[in-house]
Amino acid sequence: MRSVDEQLARALAAAVRPAPVRVAISEAQGLLCAEEVVAERALPGFDQAAVDGYAVRSVDTQAAGEEPVQLPVVGEIAAGSRQPRRLQPGQAVRIATGAPLPTLADAVLPTGFTDGHHAKVTVHQPVPSAGYVRRTGEDVQTGDVAVRRGAVIGSAQVGLLAAVGRSKVLVYPRPRVSIISVGDELVDIDRTPGQGQVYDVNSYALAAAARDAGAEVNRVGILESDPKRLREVVESRLLLSEIVVIAGGVGGELAEEVRSAIQDLGEVDMTRVAMHPGSVQGFGRLGPDAVPTFLLPGNPMSALVVFEVMVRPLIRAAQGKRNPHRRVVTARLLSPITSTKDRRGFLRGQLLRDDSNGEYLVQPLGLSGSHLLASLAEANCLVLVAEETTEVPVGEQVQVSFLAQRG
């Protein structure tokens, strides 16, 4: 029986980052930047007012520290003004936030430092040189790297790209993942199951898990156990995917049919992995591009756990994430747990936080059956139990892996 770490290492070794593409910045959120974005202009591009007030020479306000100073107001500059203005000594110009400073002005006098009059303003408080002014290039200088290669593009990066005049950016695209469910007993959710039939849970659940991991997903849906048709579909998806996931073809006669259908596309290693649930699984690299291909259990609970442990890290690695794994913390058990001997346990749990001391607590959920999907829907973590451990009593410390956070 292969260890979890060895099987995961095999999968991660197959990670291939898709070739960079240039996209509109509005479509780049959540992706990794694939270039050094160098600013071709300064930000701000000109000296501008940081507040509403009066553009002044700071020296003309210094006496206001002892008694009020009056300055004639000789005009007004609105944000977006393109008409050059020149300030004379002893004058003030009303100015709006973001408006360009007139020549000779070196400060902006906030309205609150004055009586706010339009024709002649009384200054009650002096302003220092450069006070309340956004200087040219204060944020970004021409030639500075605005967004670095490998940075995750979030809302701030999108804003900065727009601020330096970039409408498009080179990014690493989301890896394309195809999800296929195999089984004669499956029906889609818009049909009523007949005798012996069940809804196709896997293609929907695994597609959602792949999107959550950051992939671009194609949910192929249900394929019956027709080797010729299965081969055709898998072969076509290999041309359009960075990762292929087939659920339902790892046990019994169906496993043999799946293997025979894809055996000439490459080698898939069917094995037992020392984990519970989901010990029986397959992995290989198929097609001319050696696309990583996973064979997962047909049981939805097991399929989701194997996806979480094996497939999700590969999706994250293919995006170039420095650490493709979930966050792991130590938590104290609120109920005892049992686990299968010689297999690493991945048990559903609800992670809590003790407000009094910040300690993590974990409440195991449901029974140990691998078919129990409802408890996974309530879980926000997986409790990790070492291979040599079969029982853990209340109050013991355990390792816990985060799942998606609840809002």
Side-chain angles (χ1 to χ4, degrees):
M1 191 176 289
R2 186 174 295 154
S3 73
V4 172
D5 294 335
E6 183 182 353
Q7 183 76 350
L8 179 57
R10 287 171 178 248
L12 290 176
V16 177
R17 181 184 292 177
V21 295
R22 194 167 298 279
V23 301
I25 60 173
S26 58
E27 300 174 1
Q29 188 169 0
L31 302 178
L32 263 64
C33 187
E35 63 173 320
E36 298 280 288
V37 179
V38 177
E40 298 180 357
R41 62 193 69 185
L43 180 67
F46 52 88
D47 289 352
Q48 58 183 240
V51 297
D52 291 345
Y54 301 85
V56 295
R57 298 192 320 149
S58 59
V59 295
D60 293 334
T61 71
Q62 297 311 302
E66 301 173 0
E67 60 183 38
V69 172
Q70 288 193 327
L71 298 174
V73 180
V74 296
E76 185 171 352
I77 305 175
S81 173
R82 301 175 64 183
Q83 182 178 356
R85 298 291 296 269
R86 183 179 179 85
L87 187 71
Q88 298 297 327
Q91 295 180 341
V93 174
R94 285 188 68 87
I95 193 166
T97 302
L101 263 64
T103 304
L104 294 187
D106 69 335
V108 173
L109 190 67
T111 304
F113 287 14
T114 73
D115 60 4
H117 287 182
H118 288 258
K120 181 175 288 188
V121 62
T122 300
V123 182
H124 299 295
Q125 184 175 333
V127 65
S129 180
Y132 303 97
V133 173
R134 300 170 183 158
R135 289 295 189 189
T136 302
E138 183 179 282
D139 197 353
V140 178
Q141 294 279 354
T142 301
D144 282 354
V145 176
V147 179
R148 297 196 175 278
R149 181 186 291 110
V152 177
I153 298 179
S155 56
Q157 287 74 27
V158 170
L160 185 54
L161 289 166
V164 298
R166 288 291 296 268
S167 62
K168 294 186 176 182
V169 62
L170 195 67
V171 297
Y172 295 108
R174 303 180 190 281
R176 298 167 298 174
V177 177
S178 291
I179 308 290
I180 302 169
S181 279
V182 180
D184 295 334
E185 78 282 10
L186 302 176
V187 296
D188 208 347
I189 57 176
D190 59 357
R191 294 178 54 192
T192 301
Q195 182 67 29
Q197 293 183 316
V198 295
Y199 285 125
D200 168 31
V201 174
N202 279 328
S203 72
Y204 288 96
L206 295 174
R211 290 190 195 96
D212 179 71
E216 177 185 325
V217 179
N218 179 273
R219 189 186 67 83
V220 177
I222 304 168
L223 289 181
E224 296 180 354
S225 55
D226 177 349
K228 182 179 179 182
R229 174 61 178 155
L230 179 58
R231 187 192 187 285
E232 290 174 351
V233 172
V234 172
E235 189 172 25
S236 68
R237 296 317 308 172
L238 291 173
L239 300 175
L240 300 170
S241 308
E242 275 73 50
I243 300 170
V244 172
V245 177
I246 304 171
V250 297
E253 294 182 4
L254 182 56
E256 292 300 323
E257 293 175 357
V258 171
R259 281 198 293 270
S260 66
I262 62 177
Q263 62 184 356
D264 61 340
L265 297 176
E267 185 175 345
V268 174
D269 178 29
M270 295 296 298
T271 189
R272 284 188 174 273
V273 178
M275 63 181 288
H276 177 77
S279 65
V280 182
Q281 54 188 268
F283 175 74
R285 303 180 71 171
L286 303 183
D289 296 324
V291 175
T293 302
F294 293 86
L295 272 64
L296 306 188
N299 179 286
M301 173 65 195
S302 298
L304 279 169
V305 171
V306 175
F307 186 99
E308 174 70 23
V309 177
M310 300 294 172
V311 188
R312 189 180 195 279
L314 179 60
I315 293 173
R316 305 292 285 177
Q319 294 176 73
K321 302 293 185 182
R322 293 184 179 89
N323 181 6
H325 303 290
R326 296 275 200 184
R327 182 185 174 197
V328 175
V329 298
T330 300
R332 182 164 54 84
L333 269 179
L334 297 179
S335 296
I337 56 176
T338 60
S339 186
T340 303
K341 184 179 180 181
D342 297 328
R343 298 187 189 182
R344 185 177 303 177
F346 295 88
L347 311 181
R348 290 83 78 189
Q350 185 72 48
L351 189 64
L352 310 168
R353 197 75 181 264
D354 188 334
D355 292 336
S356 65
N357 57 17
E359 180 186 18
Y360 282 110
L361 309 172
V362 63
Q363 176 62 58
L365 296 176
L367 303 174
S368 60
S370 62
H371 62 290
L372 299 173
L373 188 60
S375 60
L376 186 60
E378 291 296 318
N380 64 2
C381 70
L382 290 176
V383 181
L384 311 180
V385 184
E387 289 83 347
E388 65 274 10
T389 302
T390 57
E391 296 183 0
V392 185
V394 173
E396 287 294 308
Q397 299 287 334
V398 291
Q399 295 294 102
V400 172
S401 173
F402 280 78
L403 295 176
Q405 299 299 296
R406 299 187 182 277

